[in-house]
Amino acid sequence: MGRYACVVRPSISLVVPVFNEEENLAHAVAVAGRALAEFTSQYEVILVDDASTDRTPEIIRGLTATDPHIRTLRHDRNQKLGGTLRDGFAAASMDLVLYMDADLPFDPREIGRAISAMEVTRADMIAAYRYDRTGEGLRRAIYSYVYNGIIGVLFGWPHRDINFAFKLMRREILEAVELRSEGSLISAELITKTKNLGFTVQQIGLDYFPRTRGRSTLSSLGVIGKIFRELIVLYPEMRHPRRRSPQPAVRPAEDRAPI
Ligand SMILES: Nc1nc2c(ncn2[C@@H]2O[C@H](COP(=O)(O)OP(=O)(O)O)[C@@H](O)[C@H]2O)c(=O)[nH]1
Ligand SMILES: [Mg+2]
């Protein structure tokens, strides 16, 4: 084990939304698998194919045939990021759940550091922010800055990087929180509802690597428009604590495993 050897090695479900990632997926799964094998006691990789139209389904079949850690869900029609993550989260079975994008936006060995941070802070979620986003261009940086600001003002707390695909959380959070976003509002919904229920969220900074292959599809005006349409509808329930019913048996903090 490397620099972030952990006292307790948790089990992790890695949830990856996948849409037309033929150039990235096999590489991302291989690199993430190595890190997960190093830092976890047990892991699964849940690939949710959101009706890809390129060679992604074939690549997923190949990966599933050779790696028993991989589980696959496939949508017959494109359901966008929110629907895809909700299905992936619902399928997760391990103690911790990590959301990561298929274009490998960070070094998966950072998982070790996040587990360590969780151990040290006893947080229920470690959400990462990107140290540097200039690689993606000015337009993206401005969108993101404005969006993080709006969410911070609406909900009364600052959060550095709502949409970054690194959120490591106890599975209890997903059992307690009811997520309804279909589109890319899902990250804001997850974080606000997590905080509303009294779970603790800590942030760590990560080196961010914008994709070098394939196309970025999540900054179109359509995607942004949907975020705001959904925000108007879901704002009331994002403001107030509401546990999913029937209530799951969330154990008290003292009773939990160290991770
Ligand atoms: N479910 C779903 N996921 C998508 C869609 N478009 C992109 N993704 C996935 O979302 C993640 C981030 O996409 P990306 O295009 O890199 O967005 P960016 O990093 O915000 O520019 C990747 O894992 C994509 O495969 C979509 O329409 N539906
Ligand atoms: Mg990306």
Side-chain angles (χ1 to χ4, degrees):
M1 295 241 276
R3 186 167 148 219
Y4 293 104
C6 301
V7 182
V8 180
R9 296 211 299 168
S11 65
I12 294 189
S13 300
L14 177 68
V15 174
V16 187
V18 187
F19 179 67
N20 288 355
E21 295 283 7
E22 61 183 10
E23 294 184 272
N24 291 312
L25 191 60
H27 174 67
V29 166
V31 177
R34 282 200 293 275
L36 287 164
E38 183 178 352
F39 293 113
T40 67
S41 57
Q42 206 186 341
Y43 71 93
E44 61 183 357
V45 177
I46 301 175
L47 304 176
V48 192
D49 177 9
D50 196 20
S52 294
T53 52
D54 65 355
R55 285 180 46 248
T56 295
E58 188 186 324
I59 291 166
I60 290 182
R61 276 194 296 278
L63 291 170
T64 324
T66 52
D67 185 344
H69 295 101
I70 297 179
R71 296 173 56 200
T72 312
L73 305 175
R74 167 151 174 104
H75 291 159
D76 292 333
R77 59 172 184 85
N78 189 273
Q79 294 184 25
K80 313 248 176 307
L81 188 64
T84 301
L85 282 178
R86 284 191 281 137
D87 286 348
F89 290 156
S93 66
M94 306 266 160
D95 293 338
L96 301 183
V97 180
L98 174 68
Y99 158 37
M100 182 187 91
D101 282 342
D103 57 333
L104 210 56
F106 54 85
D107 178 349
R109 279 176 303 174
E110 300 280 10
I111 292 167
R113 191 154 73 92
I115 294 169
S116 233
M118 204 173 232
E119 253 176 34
V120 170
T121 64
R122 292 174 291 178
D124 299 300
M125 176 191 284
I126 301 292
Y129 59 85
R130 293 165 262 204
Y131 282 134
D132 179 17
R133 296 197 59 181
T134 49
E136 279 180 311
L138 189 61
R139 184 177 65 99
R140 217 40 216 273
I142 293 172
Y143 280 178
S144 200
Y145 186 81
V146 170
Y147 183 59
N148 292 327
I150 291 173
I151 297 293
V153 168
L154 286 179
F155 297 97
W157 39 257
H159 187 91
R160 252 183 101 155
D161 198 349
I162 304 279
N163 277 348
F164 188 41
F166 187 110
K167 295 179 180 70
L168 178 69
M169 64 207 115
R170 297 181 194 276
R171 194 160 47 80
E172 280 101 315
I173 291 182
L174 298 170
E175 287 165 359
V177 159
E178 179 148 24
L179 297 171
R180 296 182 51 210
S181 302
E182 289 170 14
S184 293
L185 182 67
I186 186 90
S187 285
E189 189 188 14
L190 174 61
I191 293 173
T192 52
K193 289 185 172 177
T194 295
K195 290 190 178 184
N196 284 345
L197 290 182
F199 290 107
T200 48
V201 179
Q202 295 276 355
Q203 303 180 66
I204 59 172
L206 293 190
D207 288 322
Y208 166 57
F209 311 118
R211 62 167 69 235
T212 53
R213 291 172 174 77
R215 278 185 46 222
S216 167
T217 48
L218 291 184
S219 66
S220 69
L221 288 179
V223 169
I224 294 170
K226 189 166 179 73
I227 288 182
F228 287 100
R229 285 197 302 281
E230 291 207 304
L231 182 57
I232 291 167
V233 176
L234 296 178
Y235 179 73
E237 65 179 80
M238 287 167 71
R239 283 288 305 186
H240 299 294
R242 208 186 72 189
R243 208 168 258 281
R244 185 199 286 269
S245 55
Q247 287 207 355
V250 176
R251 287 169 290 151
E254 308 72 54
D255 197 31
R256 284 185 196 146
I259 276 287

